[in-house]
Amino acid sequence: DLATALNDRGQVRYLRVEFAAAVQDFTAAIECQPGFEVPYYNRGLVRYRLGDFDEAMEDFRKVLELNPQFEDAALSLKQAILDKEEKLKRGY
């Protein structure tokens, strides 16, 4: 289906370090199928990597809302919270 295809293309773009394009694909996949948790997780990973911790945490929380058993999202959320706190402590 279209949402899966967009998510898959986003994965390829992420691996090519085309982060803006990957975020666009993951967002389009979410718009096609809002209940599909995987593109939220993938978009969260890109946002985390870019240092956009608040947006990443929002995506990881949405994944857990849709699928509370998604362990990687729970771990990623915890890491984003810790990294945001560390960033704030260091003042940047």
Side-chain angles (χ1 to χ4, degrees), residues 2-51:
L2 182 58
T4 301
L6 288 164
N7 182 70
D8 292 349
R9 187 173 71 180
Q11 287 280 77
V12 170
R13 289 177 164 174
Y14 174 74
L15 293 172
R16 290 181 178 166
V17 196
E18 298 171 2
F19 295 141
V23 167
Q24 288 176 344
D25 282 341
F26 296 137
T27 301
I30 290 164
E31 289 168 356
C32 283
Q33 193 175 338
F36 183 24
E37 71 269 21
V38 176
Y40 287 101
Y41 176 71
N42 290 331
R43 186 175 70 179
L45 291 177
V46 176
R47 290 173 163 178
Y48 172 85
R49 187 149 178 204
L50 293 172

Side-chain angles (χ1 to χ4, degrees), residues 35-73:
F36 183 24
E37 71 269 21
V38 176
Y40 287 101
Y41 176 71
N42 290 331
R43 186 175 70 179
L45 291 177
V46 176
R47 290 173 163 178
Y48 172 85
R49 187 149 178 204
L50 293 172
D52 298 332
F53 298 124
D54 290 330
E55 288 183 340
M57 290 185 293
E58 186 179 309
D59 281 339
F60 297 142
R61 286 187 177 108
K62 183 64 177 180
V63 172
L64 294 169
E65 176 186 315
L66 294 168
N67 179 359
Q69 306 307 314
F70 200 125
E71 290 183 28
D72 286 346

Side-chain angles (χ1 to χ4, degrees), residues 71-84:
E71 290 183 28
D72 286 346
L75 292 171
S76 296
L77 175 59
K78 288 177 187 172
Q79 191 61 54
I81 291 168
L82 290 172
D83 288 353
K84 180 183 177 186

